[in-house]
Amino acid sequence: MPRKPRIEKIGFYHILNRGVARANIYLCDDDFLKFLEILQEASEEYDFKVCSFALMANHYHLLIYMNKPNLSTALQKINSRYSIYFNNKYKRVGPLWQGRFKSWYVYDESYLATLVRYIEFNPIKANITQHVGEYRWAMSSENFEFSMLNFELIKSTSFEKEPDEKELEKIDEFFSAKVELKNDALIQKETKPLSAYFDTLAKEQAIYSAVLDGYTQKEVGVFLGVSNVAISKSVKIYRQKVKLFERLRDKGVFWSYSKEIQYEDLPEDIVIEYLLKYGDFDDIKLGFELFGKRVMKKVWEVKLKSDRSFIKTNLMLARVFFGMDVESDYFKGAKNARLEKLKLLAS
């Protein structure tokens, strides 16, 4: 299954990104300013306007208007350019950002004023300042003259008081709304109940499919009575299994199946069987990490152990992965587990 695509459409977007492990991404005033300069350059290159922003120590909020449907390219370039600047300046290596940036298309412009207040009140919520306009690195400070800045929403919005409970509920509604693009029109996405996923799919695939369709990990976790961490781990493992399968498929490992076959089209034991028979060492090692030794050994014993055309492979698996002190002669006398089972049933 592919990663859920972003909505790419002309219009307003709320953007959020954080530092990896919630670490600070701006360590001095020059860093804040550099990010805004990169944002300005990108606005000229990708044709967008910034209508509100708040640059906090370890994350940023943007409200932008895209004049072209190129959000992903623009934000990837912004994050990449700033990451290179930051890593070079502070002589660090590794990712700067927590992951993919989060984006929400503003499908209903009645949310705009509430979103602007939500963003501009961030420094107050963080106890940095007491009033909107006092924090230098928020757009409401009006300290900047970049051409990318459009102050219309800032000037037309009242900042007399923080968003109340009703407005925060409206923000939650906006963040959790499930919408999709059809025929260039944005419509409310029809989602099936969570129970339907688990009625028809294996648990791991059901979790992944539900998240891919727009359910949050928290929603899935509450439904199953498990933690967000457990759901996140399950999604990550399933995604790695899909990537491993696709790599094997593209190598021609699943030669007896269609080139277009997907991971969810095959039973797990078939995937593991072909992995053990035709995968390289690193692929097999990853398979043990993802599927687990118990599952891998069960498939091996049933489908591969007694196959004399794979004696060298079986010897490697037995010694390296199953800790068995055996020689190749061991497999020459191994009984076919499937055949023995059939004989037992027939007797």
Side-chain angles (χ1 to χ4, degrees):
M1 292 183 185
R3 179 176 273 176
K4 183 181 176 183
R6 294 188 189 276
I7 293 172
E8 296 279 356
K9 187 174 171 64
I10 294 170
F12 290 97
Y13 287 85
H14 175 216
I15 311 295
L16 166 67
N17 207 359
R18 294 185 184 278
V20 64
R22 296 180 179 265
N24 287 350
I25 54 175
Y26 310 108
L27 302 184
C28 66
D29 285 355
D30 286 345
D31 296 342
F32 286 102
L33 188 58
K34 182 65 177 180
F35 182 85
L36 290 175
E37 289 172 350
I38 290 172
L39 196 60
Q40 170 65 36
E41 292 170 3
S43 74
E44 297 169 4
E45 187 175 352
Y46 296 101
D47 195 10
F48 64 81
K49 291 291 185 181
V50 178
C51 303
S52 177
F53 71 78
L55 309 185
M56 310 301 288
N58 66 359
H59 69 281
Y60 67 76
H61 289 273
L62 303 174
L63 179 64
I64 62 178
Y65 185 88
M66 301 297 302
N67 288 300
K68 295 179 181 177
N70 54 8
L71 174 77
S72 294
T73 307
L75 265 295
Q76 285 167 10
K77 188 66 68 72
I78 291 164
N79 289 330
S80 174
R81 286 176 180 173
Y82 184 74
S83 179
I84 291 170
Y85 154 81
F86 190 90
N87 283 358
N88 286 340
K89 179 178 179 179
Y90 295 106
K91 295 180 173 55
R92 69 182 295 277
V93 295
L96 176 64
W97 306 105
Q98 183 171 275
R100 297 175 83 207
F101 66 92
K102 294 182 180 179
S103 65
W104 294 268
Y105 182 82
V106 185
Y107 59 91
D108 183 345
E109 293 191 9
S110 67
Y111 288 99
L112 283 175
T114 308
L115 275 172
V116 171
R117 295 178 67 230
Y118 175 81
I119 292 170
E120 299 294 335
F121 267 95
N122 256 257
I124 297 168
K125 286 170 59 182
N127 296 316
I128 298 173
T129 58
Q130 293 185 332
H131 301 97
V132 171
E134 293 178 346
Y135 182 61
R136 181 179 180 185
W137 305 108
M139 188 161 159
S140 54
S141 69
E142 300 188 30
N143 284 329
F144 309 99
E145 295 182 355
F146 292 108
S147 62
M148 66 178 173
L149 302 179
N150 183 329
F151 285 94
E152 288 183 18
L153 285 172
I154 294 290
K155 291 183 180 300
S156 63
T157 300
S158 172
F159 298 107
E160 290 182 5
K161 59 180 181 178
E162 290 188 51
D164 58 28
E165 188 173 335
K166 187 175 181 180
E167 288 174 307
L168 291 175
E169 287 177 1
K170 190 173 183 179
I171 290 292
D172 286 339
E173 177 186 281
F174 168 73
F175 286 155
S176 61
K178 298 173 178 65
V179 294
E180 61 183 341
L181 196 60
K182 281 191 176 180
N183 301 322
D184 204 37
L186 210 61
I187 60 173
Q188 197 80 14
K189 188 175 181 179
E190 293 184 12
T191 55
K192 56 185 179 182
L194 271 171
S195 58
Y197 291 91
F198 296 91
D199 288 342
T200 58
L201 301 172
K203 184 178 179 181
E204 193 176 56
Q205 185 182 348
I207 291 172
Y208 186 74
S209 298
V211 171
L212 199 67
D213 283 350
Y215 282 100
T216 65
Q217 293 180 0
K218 182 178 180 180
E219 288 172 330
V220 178
V222 170
F223 177 80
L224 294 175
V226 298
S227 68
N228 291 2
V229 174
I231 298 300
S232 177
K233 183 178 179 181
S234 176
V235 170
K236 181 179 179 181
I237 289 174
Y238 192 87
R239 184 177 289 133
Q240 287 179 299
K241 288 180 179 178
V242 172
K243 286 183 178 179
L244 173 61
F245 170 84
E246 291 174 347
R247 185 163 68 248
L248 293 171
R249 181 196 61 195
D250 294 343
K251 288 179 181 178
V253 166
F254 299 96
W255 50 270
S256 59
Y257 293 91
S258 164
K259 291 181 180 179
E260 285 73 42
I261 194 165
Q262 301 297 312
Y263 175 70
E264 59 269 20
D265 295 332
L266 288 178
E268 186 177 86
D269 61 337
I270 296 295
V271 174
I272 294 174
E273 178 185 357
Y274 276 69
L275 168 62
L276 292 174
K277 285 181 175 179
Y278 308 113
D280 61 32
F281 184 86
D282 288 339
D283 290 333
I284 293 172
K285 182 180 178 183
L286 179 58
F288 273 85
E289 294 174 7
L290 298 177
F291 294 100
K293 182 177 178 180
R294 182 182 61 82
V295 173
M296 295 284 280
K297 188 172 185 180
K298 182 178 179 181
V299 174
W300 174 69
E301 289 178 333
V302 173
K303 298 197 172 186
L304 192 62
K305 182 179 175 182
S306 59
D307 191 332
R308 296 191 177 187
S309 58
F310 289 93
I311 286 179
K312 288 184 179 179
T313 299
N314 281 324
L315 185 60
M316 181 274 293
L317 291 170
R319 287 180 170 180
V320 176
F321 293 101
F322 301 126
M324 298 170 64
D325 185 14
V326 294
E327 301 296 335
S328 57
D329 288 346
Y330 172 82
F331 298 101
K332 294 177 182 178
K335 293 183 179 180
N336 188 310
R338 282 181 287 183
L339 182 59
E340 292 299 315
K341 187 175 181 179
L342 288 171
K343 287 180 179 179
L344 185 63
L345 291 172
S347 61

